[in-house]
């Protein structure tokens, strides 16, 4: 299904649902992908910061196992929510506004000049 573009001051804009879908896609693309790797990042940082002192195991898998053993599932989920929201908002604007401004500036410059 192709989204219709409406004429506004010489600039052709698509209907709002198109930009909404782009924004939602950005939330999923950025928010979910970044949130899914937070556990790996926490384990890596703890290994780097405390591995030499012997307080924390070196390596990704032993570090994840220690987090799970000492902190349980909540330790493995630490940081997911703020990362999901932070990167989700970034994706919302990055993907949604990118499409909007492509249409605006493309209309100002003219398709033949792109």
């Amino acid at each position: 299904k192709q989204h219709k573009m409406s004429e506004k001051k010489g600039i052709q804009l698509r209907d709002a649902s198109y930009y909404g879908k782009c924004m939602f896609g950005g939330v999923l693309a950025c928010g979910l992908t970044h949130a899914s790797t937070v556990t790996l990042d926490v384990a890596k940082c703890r290994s780097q910061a405390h591995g030499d002192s012997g307080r924390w195991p070196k390596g990704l898998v032993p570090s994840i196992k220690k987090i799970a053993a000492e902190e349980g599932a909540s330790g493995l989920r630490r940081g997911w929510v703020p990362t999901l929201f932070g990167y989700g908002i970034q994706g919302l604007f990055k993907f949604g506004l990118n499409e909007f401004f492509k249409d605006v500036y493309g209309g100002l410059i003219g398709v033949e000049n792109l």
Side-chain angles (χ1 to χ4, degrees), residues 3-6 12-19 99 103:
H3 293 275
K4 295 179 181 176
M5 298 181 86
S6 62
Q12 296 202 357
L13 296 177
R14 293 177 172 92
D15 61 275
S17 70
Y18 173 78
Y19 300 114
E99 291 300 315
D103 291 342

Side-chain angles (χ1 to χ4, degrees), residues 10-104:
I11 300 170
Q12 296 202 357
L13 296 177
R14 293 177 172 92
D15 61 275
S17 70
Y18 173 78
Y19 300 114
K21 290 173 187 173
C22 291
M23 289 178 175
F24 183 68
V27 170
L28 295 178
C30 294
L32 290 179
T33 57
H34 282 83
S36 68
T37 61
V38 169
T39 301
L40 302 174
D41 191 43
V42 169
K44 173 193 67 92
C45 290
R46 289 184 183 183
S47 291
Q48 288 175 334
H50 305 295
D52 290 337
S53 69
R55 296 186 316 170
W56 201 263
K58 289 188 176 188
L60 183 62
V61 174
S63 182
I64 292 173
K65 286 181 180 179
K66 183 169 180 169
I67 293 171
E70 291 184 358
E71 301 172 39
S74 65
L76 294 172
R77 292 189 311 266
R78 183 178 310 268
W80 282 8
V81 172
T83 302
L84 176 66
F85 280 104
Y87 280 100
I89 291 168
Q90 174 193 350
L92 179 137
F93 288 110
K94 183 186 286 185
F95 283 66
L97 293 181
N98 178 59
E99 291 300 315
F100 175 75
F101 285 117
K102 278 179 16 183
D103 291 342
V104 169

